[in-house]
């Protein structure tokens, strides 16, 4: 029962899409287990570039069944436009399966996301504005709308009424906005129902049966460990659990089934939106990482904040996810630096701290303690094996591995599928 979890070890955008796509050809199912279209995964196949938001990156591998698990939040209009965009480019999406228990991002959830951020002003989270937080809040408050509700008009109407009851009070009285009409929402949602119907399935049963039959299942995380609602830099996080445990609850598969947990780790660090980021650079190096790494959000088009590699975070990701492997990405971006600083610990109020502090206040005060490693200038994008890398690049990888607490089993040296050095097989 080979079940693998692949997740972001930092603040998202580590290259999960590329890594998933790379494995997609060898696995039977790729399952998204949390998040929604706040994700932006770029996959490059030959000369074709795909930007995926809600669909699992396995959708580009013809042999693989893509699954949207119960833990995901689904915006039906985004789902349908992403599917038709892929169909127009000749990608067969007919195998897609969507859990009937996945929650729907309704138009009012998107509105609430945007007005809440505006209301927070300087204290805003910098969300993607896709309705993610309010949809998960409705789920927890037990006023959410699920995919299966699209197939019972009376239930759907009652649930939308219940959800809008309080929201309309808030929208009109607190935010000075117009109330949202129940009928209009119901009509819009019903308009998606028939198009989505062929994909709706009992994904929990199907995935567990597949594992019983020794099929290979890959669980693909959105976002990253430090954006996790429980283990991330709360409140500057997303509203779901991208960490490994989220794969179990978000897909309905027991932890005993998971055989491997792969953390996708960028060779430096990026973050989008607000929140603490100890190794963030505000100088020419940060600008160069952004330019060379193409660090611009796939979903919102925002520039990503950039900084040096942070080993404290990598160690933390190893611990909270039980990582068995790392996939180190974007090593090629660091080519050309004479010296590369790496954060090995923090200094907090004059004291050296080796592990991520649990206190938000301490983390806000954390200053990086750097060790500097010698860089390399040779082009590494054609490297096929570890020994093809220049000595200093090899040493950089080995140093990161030692500091991060799990073996680096693959290295990305470019965005393409074949621009990858495989060290240990994942399957
Ligand atoms: P995700 O959200 O984790 O899937 O990552 P994104 O797709 O948002 O951002 C990663 C970006 O880096 C994408 O543009 C990828 O095409 C690109 N990428 C992935 N791996 C590599 C790599 O090893 N080298 C380079 N240069 N680019 C990479
Ligand atoms: P992928 O899957 C990077 C960030 C947002 C914001 C915070 C909360 O491409 O790695 P949300 O809309 O989720 O409520 O926003 O989380 N965020 C991401 N940052 N990559 C992502 O996804 C992200 N998804 C959400 O920028 O700071
Ligand atoms: Mg991304």
């Amino acid at each position: 029962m080979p079940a693998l979890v692949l997740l972001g070890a930092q603040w998202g955008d580590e290259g999960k899409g590329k890594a998933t796509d790379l494995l997609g050809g060898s696995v039977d199912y790729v399952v998204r287990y949390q998040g929604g279209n706040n994700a932006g995964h770029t996959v490059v196949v030959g000369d074709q570039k795909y930007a995926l938001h809600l669909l699992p990156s396995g959708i580009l591998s013809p042999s693989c069944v893509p699954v949207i698990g119960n833990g995901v939040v689904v915006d039906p209009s985004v789902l349908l436009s992403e599917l038709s965009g892929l169909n127009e480019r000749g990608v067969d999406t007919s195998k897609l399966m969507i859990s009937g228990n996945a929650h729907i991002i309704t138009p009012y959830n998107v509105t609430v996301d945007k007005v809440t951020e505006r209301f927070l002003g300087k204290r805003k989270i910098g969300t993607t504005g896709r309705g993610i937080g309010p949809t998960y809040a409705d789920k927890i408050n037990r006023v959410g709308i699920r995919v299966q509700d699209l197939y019972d008009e009376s239930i759907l109407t009652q649930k939308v009424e219940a959800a809008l009851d309080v929201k309309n009070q808030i929208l009109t009285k607190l935010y000075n906005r117009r109330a949202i009409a129940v009928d209009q929402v119901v009509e819009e949602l019903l308009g998606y129902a028939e198009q989505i119907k062929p994909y709706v399935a009992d994904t929990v049963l199907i995935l567990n049966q597949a594992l019983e039959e020794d099929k290979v299942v890959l669980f693909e995380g959105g976002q990253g460990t430090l954006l996790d609602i429980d283990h991330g830099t709360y409140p500057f996080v997303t509203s779901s659990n991208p960490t490994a445990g989220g794969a179990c609850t978000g897909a309905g598969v027991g932890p005993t089934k998971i055989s491997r947990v792969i953390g996708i780790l960028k060779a430096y660090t990026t973050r989008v939106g607000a929140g603490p980021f100890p190794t963030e650079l505000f100088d020419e190096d940060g600008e160069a990482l952004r330019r060379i790494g193409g660090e611009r959000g796939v979903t919102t088009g925002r520039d990503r904040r950039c900084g040096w590699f942070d080993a404290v975070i990598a160690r933390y990701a190893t611990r909270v996810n039980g990582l068995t492997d790392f996939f180190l990405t974007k090593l090629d971006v660091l080519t050309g630096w004479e010296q590369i600083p790496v954060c090995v610990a923090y200094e907090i109020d004059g004291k050296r701290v080796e592990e991520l502090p649990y206190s938000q206040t301490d983390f806000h005060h954390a200053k990086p303690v750097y060790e500097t490693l010698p860089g390399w200038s040779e082009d590494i994008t054609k490297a096929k094996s570890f020994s093809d890398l220049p000595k200093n690049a090899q040493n950089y990888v080995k140093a990161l591995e030692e500091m991060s607490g799990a073996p680096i089993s693959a290295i990305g040296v470019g965005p393409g599928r074949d621009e990858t050095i495989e060290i240990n097989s994942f399957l």
Side-chain angles (χ1 to χ4, degrees), residues 196-410:
I196 294 176
K197 204 168 188 178
Y199 304 112
V200 182
D202 186 350
T203 56
V204 174
L205 180 65
I206 293 165
L207 289 172
N208 279 287
Q209 282 173 340
L211 287 168
E212 289 298 319
E213 290 163 18
D214 260 352
K215 296 273 197 293
V216 186
V217 181
L218 177 66
F219 299 93
E220 178 194 12
Q223 294 76 53
T225 300
L226 275 300
L227 286 173
D228 187 281
I229 188 83
D230 285 275
H231 302 291
T233 47
Y234 190 90
F236 302 101
V237 292
T238 193
S239 299
S240 65
N241 288 114
T243 47
C248 297
T249 48
V253 165
T256 48
K257 299 275 161 70
I258 309 289
S259 41
R260 212 134 168 207
V261 186
I262 305 159
I264 313 301
L265 187 67
K266 214 180 268 194
Y268 50 97
T269 315
T270 62
R271 166 160 214 175
V272 192
F277 179 0
T279 64
E280 182 169 16
L281 294 167
F282 299 95
D283 58 6
E284 280 167 22
D285 283 328
E287 206 37 64
L289 286 173
R290 190 172 304 119
R291 191 183 62 250
I292 302 166
E295 298 297 352
R296 179 173 283 250
V298 184
T299 299
T300 57
R302 289 181 287 181
D303 274 353
R304 293 173 181 157
R305 301 157 64 190
C306 295
W308 299 123
F309 183 82
D310 185 336
V312 182
I313 280 173
R315 278 199 292 280
Y316 180 73
T318 303
R319 190 179 320 128
V320 297
N321 294 300
L323 295 182
T324 56
D325 304 80
F326 278 116
F327 189 138
L328 186 71
T329 61
K330 303 191 98 160
L331 186 64
D332 54 300
V333 173
L334 294 178
T335 300
W337 264 275
E338 261 174 48
Q339 302 285 329
I340 310 172
V342 170
C343 168
V344 294
Y346 299 142
E347 192 191 295
I348 302 172
D349 299 333
K351 280 203 199 99
R352 185 182 165 108
V353 175
E354 303 284 335
E355 302 299 345
L356 200 90
Y358 73 85
S359 141
Q360 184 187 350
T361 310
D362 284 351
F363 194 58
H364 275 273
H365 294 155
K367 298 210 170 50
V369 176
Y370 285 116
E371 243 172 50
T372 302
L373 302 172
W376 60 94
S377 56
E378 300 90 331
D379 175 23
I380 62 167
T381 57
K382 304 283 177 300
K384 292 281 169 258
S385 69
F386 190 68
S387 57
D388 292 343
L389 291 174
K391 211 74 224 134
N392 284 350
Q394 290 186 14
N395 289 340
Y396 184 79
V397 174
K398 280 191 208 147
L400 262 47
E401 181 173 80
E402 207 157 293
M403 292 168 194
S404 305
I408 292 175
S409 296

Side-chain angles (χ1 to χ4, degrees), residues 70-285:
N70 56 276
V72 176
V73 287
V74 178
D75 184 325
S77 66
V78 171
L79 171 74
L80 294 172
S81 73
E82 211 168 312
L83 285 171
S84 67
L86 287 176
N87 294 153
E88 277 162 25
R89 295 175 70 177
V91 177
D92 175 18
T93 57
S94 60
K95 287 195 199 147
L96 175 70
M97 295 197 297
I98 304 172
S99 165
N101 286 349
H103 279 247
I104 298 263
I105 302 179
T106 62
Y108 52 79
N109 292 135
V110 178
T111 304
V112 170
D113 193 357
K114 288 179 180 157
V115 293
T116 311
E117 281 283 276
R118 218 168 295 149
F119 199 71
L120 281 171
K122 270 202 314 227
R123 289 171 297 138
K124 71 177 181 190
I125 307 295
T127 73
T128 59
R130 301 299 191 264
I132 306 296
T135 305
Y136 278 114
D138 278 3
K139 174 177 175 176
I140 299 298
N141 280 332
R142 292 161 294 189
V143 291
I145 311 293
R146 294 189 292 176
V147 168
Q148 58 179 291
D149 298 328
L150 300 181
Y151 306 100
D152 187 326
E153 186 173 345
S154 148
I155 292 258
L156 178 67
T157 309
Q158 286 173 43
K159 289 191 174 180
V160 172
E161 260 167 14
L164 278 177
D165 217 18
V166 177
K167 273 185 201 73
N168 273 335
Q169 301 281 338
I170 296 172
L171 282 173
T172 53
K173 294 188 180 143
L174 188 65
Y175 294 127
N176 210 14
R177 305 269 301 206
R178 241 181 278 143
I180 296 171
V182 172
D183 294 357
Q184 226 172 318
V185 174
V186 171
E187 194 187 317
E188 180 177 337
L189 294 179
L190 287 176
Y192 302 123
E194 284 313 303
Q195 282 168 278
I196 294 176
K197 204 168 188 178
Y199 304 112
V200 182
D202 186 350
T203 56
V204 174
L205 180 65
I206 293 165
L207 289 172
N208 279 287
Q209 282 173 340
L211 287 168
E212 289 298 319
E213 290 163 18
D214 260 352
K215 296 273 197 293
V216 186
V217 181
L218 177 66
F219 299 93
E220 178 194 12
Q223 294 76 53
T225 300
L226 275 300
L227 286 173
D228 187 281
I229 188 83
D230 285 275
H231 302 291
T233 47
Y234 190 90
F236 302 101
V237 292
T238 193
S239 299
S240 65
N241 288 114
T243 47
C248 297
T249 48
V253 165
T256 48
K257 299 275 161 70
I258 309 289
S259 41
R260 212 134 168 207
V261 186
I262 305 159
I264 313 301
L265 187 67
K266 214 180 268 194
Y268 50 97
T269 315
T270 62
R271 166 160 214 175
V272 192
F277 179 0
T279 64
E280 182 169 16
L281 294 167
F282 299 95
D283 58 6
E284 280 167 22
D285 283 328

